[in-house]
Amino acid sequence: SLKPGTYTITVADKSNIHNFHLVGPGVNKKTSVGFKGTMTWKVTLKKGTYKYVCDPHASFMHGSFRVT
């Protein structure tokens, strides 16, 4: 778990068949499926549960974390 606050998230997409999608209280950020490269986001995480997923492969490429 993490504490509420501002975080820098770096996403390194190495394949053009995947993406990274982060959703939670006040956050809905994603890379596109065709994107290959590195992207950096500054996000403010609030209390709650956040989920991350590869949208095309959501049944097996997913996870979550809590901000408390």
Side-chain angles (χ1 to χ4, degrees):
S1 75
L2 298 168
K3 294 183 184 284
T6 301
Y7 290 85
T8 300
I9 297 174
T10 301
V11 179
D13 275 346
K14 297 182 179 183
S15 173
N16 61 4
I17 63 168
H18 301 293
N19 77 331
F20 183 82
H21 191 174
L22 177 64
V23 177
V27 176
N28 186 1
K29 303 278 287 180
K30 64 181 172 179
T31 62
S32 66
V33 174
F35 174 76
K36 277 179 68 174
T38 302
M39 188 171 289
T40 302
W41 301 327
K42 187 169 278 197
V43 296
T44 300
L45 301 181
K46 301 174 185 177
K47 288 184 179 182
T49 300
Y50 290 78
K51 296 181 181 183
Y52 53 91
V53 64
C54 169
D55 292 317
H57 306 102
S59 65
F60 60 94
M61 295 181 80
H62 58 87
S64 66
F65 61 91
R66 291 189 46 78
V67 175
T68 57

